[in-house]
Amino acid sequence: MAAEEDPYIWLEAVESEESLDFARGANEKTLKSLGDPTKGSTYGRVLAALESEDRIPYVVKRGLDDNGNELVFNFWSDAGNPKGIWRKCTMNSYKTKNPEWETVLDLDEMSNKDGISWVWEGSEILERDCDPNSDGGKRVTRALLRLSRGGSDAVHIKEFDFLSGDFVSENPFNLPEAKTDVSYKSRDVLIVGTDFGPDSLTDSGYPRTVREWVRGTDIKKAPIVVEGEKSDMEVAAYIDDQRRRNGPIYEVHERVITFFSSRKWVRMIEYEHLLAPDDPLREKVGNPPKFQEIQVQEDALVDFLGNLMIITLRSDWAPIPGENYIQGSLLYVDAKTFLEKGPENCSFKVLFAPSERTASANYAATKNYLIHVILDNVKSKVEFYKITSDGFVRVGKDVEPQIRDVTVYPVDSLEDDRFWLSTSSFLEPDTLQMADASLVEASDSDVENLYAIAKMKSLPSQFNSSNLIAVQGVSTSTDGTQVPYFLIKNKNVILDGKNPTLMYGYGGFEQSESPYYAAIPGIAWLERGGVYVIANIRGGGEFGAKWHQAALKKNRNKAYEDFIAVAEDLIASGYCKPLTLAIQGGSNGGLLVGNMYTMRPDLFGAIVCEVPLIDMKRFNILLAGASWMGEYGDPSTDDWDNYLHKYSPYHNIDTSVEKYPAILVTTSTRDDRVHPAHARKFVKKLWDLGMGKDWPVYYYENIEGGHGGAADAKQSAFLKSLAYDFMFETLSGNAKFL
């Protein structure tokens, strides 16, 4: 369907009166049919969970206060502070049961004052080592706050002064709303990519240029230091200061070509090179060296650790004839040698090489240790390495992988060896531990003992899981590939096909669907007797880059075949029948369930499709869509006729089908990543083509919320309750016919 032939293109005007009238009318129609979720019991339970104070206040450490106490910062929202507060306390206080928090910034108060629904999107801290006012690198003095209107990706940048407890008033680094990438180079120099006017953005809507902005000068006159092509996804620049690991300061420039490819340049500089050009200290070191391109594959990831460079491979690589390193490996090499002499003159060492069913999930470094999280058949295990002058030596590891989620991050990566370890599983809420990595080496690799003595904060269960178990299953896809899935169920479930079963999937962008504490599904689905399933389909990152790349572009069908295989396995096992099987997905997962709707309407009883991609003919010209062509293909080329048209739900609605499963489509007006027109046009087309047919189609558009769909806990509880109630009541009604 060409753009000029699309009768629903008027719905692409995001905030036109005609589009908003459609959304308001559709919302009213849906609530009239499905009921107001706030009147049901699910809403109150979900809202209570989202606003509960029984949550771990995750923190970052940011230096010392004027009395020499370690400070930690946290962003927190609850019933009394729905927009949230940014707050701080000392580390000693944080370790207690009831920390004494001090509010730094109240977003509810700020929103009321400004008349803007501010949503916290994070902060960029002025690193202490780059701040002459930090009292020798001890205090944190400034931060750049990222605040969005209603939850959009576009943000306002506002500079905050910790010493005064207010926003910077004299020559602040403030920026208007845009998709801005910003960080400090030094106290008075900012690295900024933003909307500078015509031709300053890529086709994806992200910065095409990066400038160095000196405080007190006109940003429009700031010199461009990185410039990319319009077809790039974006450009970026950043400082990686490794001085406290006895390494140099790395200045990195990057052209991000696609989601998974980029070209990178780096130079090693001195502290004085970070300062403003007219700073007298610059004369001490002269001009900085020239940038050198990092000679790695465009799809490789690069990280610096002291004098080492860590390279994560997303495809096989033979930097030296006769030496081949496999996809998914983590290599390391001396950074200076690599940059000065090239890869052909280096000695590479392997930190990790994957097997058929293992993948590197992530890693973090303390001052002297590297902590590596590995996925082993989508279960996690942790390994500890001592950082030496020329590499890494393993000093401890988990004995067995576990069905759990693990997040590791340092308390202060350059100061000492303490680290935070957060764990959870489908049935066990978050537990936060602070430990010292050096104790692993001292305890003869007894990692579990380390965890036991380090336990610090844990949460009570938010739903009744006493009779539930989480197990791992496996299905066989069309081409014979073994596709795992997680299943949470009652221990005494009856395999009669009547269990309301909800299956969730994503399958894209190398994102892994690993175990997590299922508080909301637990309340809204499992406690009601349902079965909950997470499908680990291709397109994700459960088995590394190879699992992702297996379902790229023309091979997108692999992800969909995997999802169908899991659904059919659940039915064959007796958990459910098509009438009692619901599916749910958002964003790329919305594309997934949208394709299930058009490909296999016979296989599902209810579908929830959230903030979805749906129109794959025009996705690349709507908002950030051009950045996803590396994942899906380019519909302006032969990709459309060759394969993309097969995976565009908007174009594959079959008018000969008399019955489609009930579907609820949701989106947000303020979503500036996936255009709300995808959802709007799909629903409007279904309504028009489905006149007189059994096509139950419901639509709800939140006026705020961004790509997450909701801007605060009440909006989130509303949408979640609407979705879960719709699915459960639909499946329960269907079960009566079995």
Side-chain angles (χ1 to χ4, degrees):
M1 182 188 295
E4 59 270 21
E5 298 172 348
D6 186 349
Y8 306 107
I9 201 169
W10 55 275
L11 288 166
E12 293 179 7
V14 176
E15 294 185 317
S16 71
E17 279 304 311
E18 196 174 15
S19 292
L20 293 177
D21 284 346
F22 167 80
R24 296 186 191 104
N27 290 354
E28 183 178 352
K29 180 179 176 181
T30 292
L31 296 184
K32 185 176 181 180
S33 297
L34 301 182
D36 183 348
T38 64
K39 307 301 182 184
S41 59
T42 306
Y43 173 81
R45 290 282 312 283
V46 170
L47 180 61
L50 293 174
E51 292 185 333
S52 171
E53 294 194 12
D54 283 332
R55 289 176 285 136
I56 292 177
Y58 287 100
V59 297
V60 290
K61 177 178 173 290
R62 293 299 184 192
L64 309 178
D65 64 14
D66 290 338
N67 297 317
N69 298 306
E70 282 187 281
L71 285 177
V72 294
F73 287 78
N74 162 259
F75 186 78
W76 182 262
S77 61
D78 54 28
N81 303 278
K83 295 297 181 187
I85 53 175
W86 193 31
R87 58 189 189 172
K88 66 181 180 180
C89 72
T90 66
M91 178 69 82
N92 287 335
S93 179
Y94 182 70
K95 291 178 180 179
T96 66
K97 186 176 181 180
N98 297 300
E100 296 180 0
W101 293 102
E102 178 185 343
T103 297
V104 178
L105 181 67
D106 187 326
L107 251 64
D108 294 277
E109 183 180 289
M110 183 177 170
S111 295
N112 291 332
K113 178 182 176 182
D114 296 345
I116 297 173
S117 178
W118 289 118
V119 174
W120 178 264
E121 300 291 351
S123 62
E124 302 289 336
I125 301 293
L126 171 58
E127 294 299 334
R128 292 167 285 149
D129 289 345
C130 297
D131 180 6
N133 292 352
S134 70
D135 189 19
K138 297 177 181 178
R139 298 187 305 181
V140 56
T141 65
R142 296 257 170 118
L144 302 167
L145 306 190
R146 301 169 60 85
L147 303 171
S148 77
R149 292 186 303 121
S152 64
D153 282 357
V155 295
H156 291 254
I157 302 297
K158 296 179 179 291
E159 189 176 25
F160 193 85
D161 187 339
F162 289 102
L163 302 184
S164 69
D166 203 350
F167 291 103
V168 175
S169 58
E170 184 178 354
N171 294 324
F173 283 135
N174 291 345
L175 291 166
E177 185 175 68
K179 291 185 178 180
T180 299
D181 187 12
V182 62
S183 63
Y184 285 103
K185 186 170 185 179
S186 61
R187 180 181 177 85
D188 296 314
V189 182
L190 207 64
I191 301 172
V192 56
T194 190
D195 186 350
F196 291 106
D199 295 324
S200 67
L201 300 179
T202 65
D203 294 335
S204 300
Y206 296 106
R208 190 179 67 84
T209 61
V210 171
R211 302 187 184 214
E212 285 191 2
W213 181 20
V214 177
R215 190 184 300 278
T217 64
D218 184 353
I219 190 172
K220 294 180 180 178
K221 297 180 181 179
I224 294 174
V225 294
V226 190
E227 186 168 6
E229 303 293 334
K230 286 281 286 181
S231 58
D232 290 346
M233 179 178 164
E234 62 179 326
V235 297
Y238 60 92
I239 299 297
D240 189 345
D241 188 348
Q242 292 291 321
R243 284 177 291 168
R244 281 198 274 171
R245 286 200 187 96
N246 298 316
I249 300 173
Y250 299 94
E251 183 175 8
V252 183
H253 289 173
E254 184 173 16
R255 278 183 53 203
V256 183
I257 300 169
T258 70
F259 247 95
F260 297 100
S261 64
S262 66
R263 295 179 63 187
K264 311 166 190 70
W265 293 262
V266 67
R267 63 184 177 185
M268 301 178 187
I269 59 174
E270 304 293 333
Y271 166 73
E272 290 78 8
H273 290 131
L274 302 175
L275 305 176
D278 59 352
D279 193 302
L281 289 176
R282 285 287 291 265
E283 298 179 4
K284 176 181 175 182
V285 292
N287 292 325
K290 293 182 179 180
F291 280 92
Q292 297 170 281
E293 185 164 9
I294 303 177
Q295 298 178 51
V296 295
Q297 295 162 299
E298 289 187 352
D299 63 354
L301 303 177
V302 171
D303 189 18
F304 296 99
L305 200 62
N307 289 306
L308 300 174
M309 183 167 71
I310 300 176
I311 305 167
T312 302
L313 299 181
R314 301 191 69 256
S315 56
D316 293 350
W317 190 38
I320 302 172
E323 290 189 18
N324 186 61
Y325 300 101
I326 64 172
Q327 178 184 49
S329 296
L330 270 62
L331 312 179
Y332 60 94
V333 66
D334 181 79
K336 185 175 182 181
T337 303
F338 185 97
L339 295 173
E340 292 182 353
K341 299 183 179 180
E344 65 276 8
N345 294 301
C346 289
S347 175
F348 292 90
K349 296 181 181 179
V350 178
L351 176 64
F352 171 79
S355 66
E356 187 63 29
R357 304 298 277 184
T358 63
S360 173
N362 56 75
Y363 62 83
T366 67
K367 186 174 184 179
N368 298 296
Y369 293 87
L370 183 135
I371 308 165
H372 186 205
V373 181
I374 296 169
L375 287 181
D376 186 338
N377 199 29
V378 207
K379 294 180 283 189
S380 68
K381 62 181 180 182
V382 184
E383 297 185 337
F384 290 80
Y385 293 84
K386 179 72 176 288
I387 303 172
T388 67
S389 58
D390 61 352
F392 305 93
V393 177
R394 192 169 69 186
V395 294
K397 66 175 182 176
D398 284 333
V399 177
E400 296 290 341
Q402 301 176 46
I403 298 179
R404 64 175 183 178
D405 178 63
V406 175
T407 302
V408 177
Y409 56 105
V411 173
D412 188 320
S413 64
L414 299 176
E415 188 169 286
D416 55 41
D417 292 317
R418 293 173 300 164
F419 66 95
W420 302 109
L421 184 138
S422 173
T423 60
S424 65
S425 67
F426 289 118
L427 303 177
E428 297 173 344
D430 292 10
T431 293
L432 179 66
Q433 299 158 108
M434 186 175 75
D436 191 319
S438 64
L439 295 179
V440 176
E441 191 172 11
S443 62
D444 296 325
S445 304
D446 190 350
V447 175
E448 293 303 323
N449 183 58
L450 170 70
Y451 296 162
I453 65 174
K455 187 172 181 178
M456 183 175 171
K457 295 177 183 289
S458 59
L459 294 182
S461 295
Q462 293 180 296
F463 64 96
N464 184 2
S465 60
S466 58
N467 290 317
L468 299 176
I469 57 172
V471 298
Q472 190 174 35
V474 63
S475 59
T476 303
S477 194
T478 305
D479 62 1
T481 299
Q482 299 293 289
V483 180
Y485 60 89
F486 292 108
L487 187 145
I488 306 96
K489 61 179 180 177
N490 189 287
K491 296 174 184 176
N492 303 311
V493 64
I494 299 172
L495 301 180
D496 60 0
K498 295 184 179 181
N499 302 289
T501 302
L502 172 56
M503 183 174 152
Y504 177 85
Y506 187 77
F509 295 92
E510 207 172 322
Q511 297 299 305
S512 301
E513 292 301 322
S514 53
Y516 67 96
Y517 183 57
I520 304 307
I523 292 168
W525 197 263
L526 291 167
E527 276 194 355
R528 297 160 93 170
V531 175
Y532 189 61
V533 179
I534 306 290
N536 300 120
I537 62 178
R538 280 175 285 186
E542 287 85 349
F543 300 110
K546 63 184 178 184
W547 197 247
H548 168 237
Q549 293 168 9
L552 282 180
K553 298 184 178 180
K554 65 180 180 180
N555 293 320
R556 203 74 193 171
N557 59 296
K558 301 297 184 184
Y560 305 143
E561 289 166 4
D562 290 358
F563 198 73
I564 290 168
V566 175
E568 291 179 336
D569 195 65
L570 296 171
I571 294 168
S573 300
Y575 288 105
C576 57
K577 293 185 182 297
L579 284 177
T580 55
L581 176 58
I583 56 174
Q584 180 184 26
S587 191
N588 174 75
L591 174 63
L592 166 69
V593 299
N595 272 296
M596 293 301 99
Y597 181 83
T598 55
M599 289 177 176
R600 289 298 304 272
D602 61 306
L603 196 56
F604 309 104
I607 297 175
V608 168
C609 182
E610 300 164 313
V611 290
L613 281 83
I614 291 289
D615 180 355
M616 300 307 287
K617 179 66 175 175
R618 289 176 57 78
F619 82 89
N620 63 317
I621 59 174
L622 296 174
L623 296 177
S627 65
W628 311 321
M629 290 192 293
E631 182 83 9
Y632 303 121
D634 184 350
S636 66
T637 68
D638 290 343
D639 291 352
W640 174 254
D641 290 327
N642 290 340
Y643 60 87
L644 257 174
H645 72 280
K646 299 177 184 178
Y647 315 131
S648 181
Y650 184 60
H651 297 87
N652 289 305
I653 301 167
D654 187 350
T655 56
S656 69
V657 174
E658 285 299 317
K659 179 174 177 57
Y660 272 114
I663 186 170
L664 169 65
V665 183
T666 65
T667 192
S668 166
T669 309
R670 292 290 298 163
D671 189 346
D672 54 355
R673 191 181 312 173
V674 176
H675 201 294
H678 284 279
R680 291 171 175 175
K681 295 197 301 179
F682 187 50
V683 167
K684 177 63 172 152
K685 188 175 182 180
L686 286 172
W687 280 346
D688 290 350
L689 296 181
M691 294 288 289
K693 298 183 177 69
D694 189 4
W695 292 8
V697 180
Y698 307 98
Y699 179 75
Y700 194 89
E701 180 173 324
N702 192 26
I703 304 304
E704 292 186 330
H707 192 51
D712 57 35
K714 286 185 171 62
Q715 291 179 18
S716 181
F718 179 96
L719 289 168
K720 291 179 186 299
S721 301
L722 179 68
Y724 282 104
D725 286 349
F726 157 73
M727 289 186 288
F728 200 88
E729 291 168 12
T730 299
L731 298 191
S732 297
N734 290 346
K736 297 176 182 178
F737 297 99
L738 298 178

